[in-house]
Amino acid sequence: MRALVVTSIGVACAGALLLPLAPTESADSMLSDKHSTPSEDAVPPAARAPGSGRIVPGHTQSLPLGTPADSTRSGDKLLSAWEDDPSGGRRVVSRKVKPFALVGVVWDDPRAIPRGRLQVQARDADTRRWSDWRSLNTRSDHGPGPDSKEGSTARGKPLGATAPLWVGNSSALRVRIVPTPVSPKTTGSSQRQVGKAELPAGARLELVDPGAEVGTGETRKPGDVQRHRPQTGKPPREDGPADRPGGTLPALTRAQTNATYGDDAAKATPSRSDRAEDAHIGPRPEIITRKGWGADESMREADFSYTGPTKAAFVHHSAETNGYSCAEVPSIIRGIYRYHVKSSRWRDIGYNFLVDKCGKIYEGRAGGVAKPVMGAHTFGFNEDSTGIALLGTYSKTDAPKAATDALSKLTAWKLGVHGVDASGKVTLTSGGGSKHRKGTRVVFNAVSGHRDGFSTECPGERLYNELPAIRTEAGRLQGR
């Protein structure tokens, strides 16, 4: 059983089908909100089915959890009554639910936080073995800011939510909430006491089936997660994003990149000449598009939200485990996407880009990969920034070189398009959060970690320590 916590969070692909080069919109048009839709960086239209033209199956089971103190019912017929757990907490078990692969818990008030540790245990659909207990991240350190347009979506205001947890093909789930021990210093007592274990009002368990791969020719019922479990050996050829029209943006040489984006970078930096050869842009790396990972474009908000030119990149990790297969990543991203949109009520997936441990780069939030798309990734600093999630946990484990190389390449290109020195410093204004008061002007490295903007462990100690080298390499790729 694999589990992957994705912070509130990616199929091997070798080849590029999009050969013609087309210019992206200029920085001037970005700033004036006059957005064009060039062929390569075109934003995906809402309501268009991905890949083969059909909507990816998939569904979400949303089950009211009720009150843990209530021993008679949990709030839903597909869940057992709450009962005592050997941990000293309370637990509930699912009953005859449809298969799922990703889980999370949401609640009404985004300012509320569960009291106690919220943990889950999943049963593998094939082996029927239960996983270890795994904690859900209940902190609101990811997501839209307090004044974000995210709150004006047609589906209502965003909800409070845990980070989603990828559990793989599963058929049942146990949920428990364990009281957090209270320090004697807090109570004034000489003995350690047990705190409360409570869920916020309106708490619901979300069981997500991300749907089958697009373009595989599979016939399956929604919820049949078994069909997209990782297989041994190479995946079928038709599973690769490069085998789908529009599934990838090909890597460009330095000359091609400057010819495509050079004028935009020069215009974004008025002190420099508008000549393409003067632009410091890293070569564009290969990027697997939303069509490549199978996004259902009818699920997100139809319009897009842009900021000023992108000044900084915030790097995140998704936490928990590195045990996923890279062939699973499109399914993982579709699961995150569905959880962010359907369960948490966000406009779209929160991250602008995702990177897997094999070094593959994936387009995240829709709106154009070169454009300054407003994400929902670093609470208080979503304006004028881009959010990149590296799938895996890097607190005690080094990030693979393929992944850190991908971060350097992506930031060298993305920040270069907006005229930013990836190895330099930038200033952003806080929208409010746990580390910087609203309105505070904060100096960041152009490539920073999530913890630089918010009080959090993300992106993990080992990955955070790699950021100086990532910045240096990104600057070198920009020709600085």
Side-chain angles (χ1 to χ4, degrees):
M1 174 62 67
R2 295 180 174 89
L4 176 68
V5 172
V6 187
T7 55
S8 332
I9 337 298
V11 115
C13 165
L17 298 185
L18 297 183
L19 298 179
L21 300 180
T24 184
E25 64 180 3
S26 71
D28 286 347
S29 67
M30 292 176 183
L31 294 172
S32 62
D33 293 328
K34 296 177 181 178
H35 301 290
S36 60
T37 54
S39 60
E40 281 206 336
D41 293 324
V43 297
R48 180 183 295 176
S52 62
R54 61 183 175 85
I55 296 297
V56 181
H59 65 265
T60 302
Q61 300 169 85
S62 185
L63 313 178
L65 283 168
T67 305
D70 187 348
S71 61
T72 58
R73 59 190 298 267
S74 64
D76 191 277
K77 63 182 181 180
L78 294 180
L79 295 174
S80 69
W82 284 95
E83 60 184 5
D84 289 338
D85 183 79
S87 65
R90 301 277 288 170
R91 74 177 182 185
V92 67
V93 184
S94 67
R95 291 176 171 174
K96 297 182 179 180
V97 294
K98 297 177 181 178
F100 58 92
L102 180 142
V103 304
V105 174
V106 301
W107 52 88
D108 295 341
D109 186 355
R111 298 168 298 181
I113 298 177
R115 301 181 67 175
R117 289 175 294 152
L118 193 55
Q119 300 178 321
V120 296
Q121 190 178 38
R123 187 179 69 191
D124 188 285
D126 296 330
T127 67
R128 299 185 66 80
R129 293 178 181 174
W130 288 93
S131 70
D132 295 333
W133 284 101
R134 303 185 185 276
S135 295
L136 296 176
N137 179 7
T138 59
R139 299 190 62 188
S140 57
D141 53 355
H142 296 77
D147 299 323
S148 169
K149 293 181 180 179
E150 213 89 3
S152 60
T153 63
R155 58 184 54 85
K157 292 185 177 181
L159 299 174
T162 68
L165 173 70
W166 179 261
V167 294
N169 184 36
S170 302
S171 59
L173 194 78
R174 294 171 179 155
V175 182
R176 75 180 181 187
I177 186 162
V178 182
T180 303
V182 179
S183 170
K185 293 181 180 180
T186 304
T187 62
S189 170
S190 60
Q191 296 183 344
R192 195 172 183 84
Q193 298 182 10
V194 177
K196 293 184 178 180
E198 297 177 346
L199 291 173
R204 296 188 299 282
L205 175 64
E206 303 289 294
L207 304 179
V208 178
D209 168 16
E213 282 283 3
V214 179
T216 61
E218 293 178 358
T219 56
R220 64 184 286 277
K221 298 182 293 183
D224 184 9
V225 186
Q226 291 174 323
R227 300 253 183 181
H228 67 256
R229 283 184 63 82
Q231 303 293 322
T232 57
K234 295 182 179 180
R237 179 177 175 80
E238 63 270 26
D239 286 354
D243 295 300
R244 304 172 198 150
T248 64
L249 293 179
L252 302 181
T253 65
R254 183 177 300 279
Q256 290 171 328
T257 300
N258 277 331
T260 305
Y261 304 101
D263 288 339
D264 294 343
K267 291 175 183 177
T269 312
S271 62
R272 294 196 178 134
S273 159
D274 281 353
R275 293 178 298 160
E277 59 266 29
D278 289 336
H280 290 278
I281 313 175
R284 188 182 74 186
E286 181 181 88
I287 300 173
I288 297 173
T289 67
R290 291 171 64 89
K291 184 175 289 187
W293 55 260
D296 176 354
E297 300 298 351
S298 68
M299 190 160 61
R300 61 170 171 81
E301 287 291 301
D303 60 342
F304 309 104
S305 180
Y306 297 97
T307 75
T310 301
K311 296 180 180 179
F314 285 102
V315 176
H316 306 253
H317 73 166
S318 58
E320 190 57 35
T321 184
N322 303 319
Y324 63 92
S325 161
C326 291
E328 286 182 288
V329 173
S331 292
I332 293 171
I333 297 176
R334 289 198 305 274
I336 301 169
Y337 175 43
R338 177 172 283 273
Y339 182 79
H340 282 176
V341 175
K342 292 292 188 181
S343 300
S344 304
R345 296 183 183 174
W346 295 4
R347 301 175 61 87
D348 195 347
I349 191 170
Y351 295 109
N352 298 99
F353 297 94
L354 301 97
V355 177
D356 70 17
K357 64 184 180 181
C358 296
K360 298 298 180 182
I361 300 170
Y362 293 79
E363 176 185 13
R365 180 162 289 207
V369 292
K371 299 180 183 181
V373 178
M374 168 81 86
H377 49 82
T378 306
F379 192 92
F381 292 100
N382 290 316
E383 291 273 358
D384 303 338
S385 71
T386 191
I388 306 170
L390 179 55
L391 299 178
T393 181
Y394 303 103
S395 299
K396 299 180 180 179
T397 302
D398 292 334
K401 188 176 186 302
T404 57
D405 285 349
L407 289 172
S408 293
K409 293 174 184 178
L410 177 58
T411 53
W413 169 74
K414 177 69 176 183
L415 294 176
V417 169
H418 293 264
V420 175
D421 179 353
S423 60
K425 304 280 187 180
V426 297
T427 301
L428 300 177
T429 301
S430 174
S434 64
K435 197 166 187 176
H436 304 284
R437 289 186 178 181
K438 184 176 181 179
T440 304
R441 288 173 58 81
V442 184
V443 177
F444 290 101
N445 289 305
V447 180
S448 286
H450 184 191
R451 65 170 66 177
D452 293 319
F454 199 93
S455 297
T456 175
E457 190 270 343
C458 183
E461 191 68 22
R462 293 289 186 90
L463 178 55
Y464 187 79
N465 290 340
E466 288 286 335
L467 292 184
I470 290 170
R471 286 191 290 268
T472 298
E473 176 62 9
R476 188 193 69 80
L477 291 171
Q478 289 183 334
R480 299 185 185 277

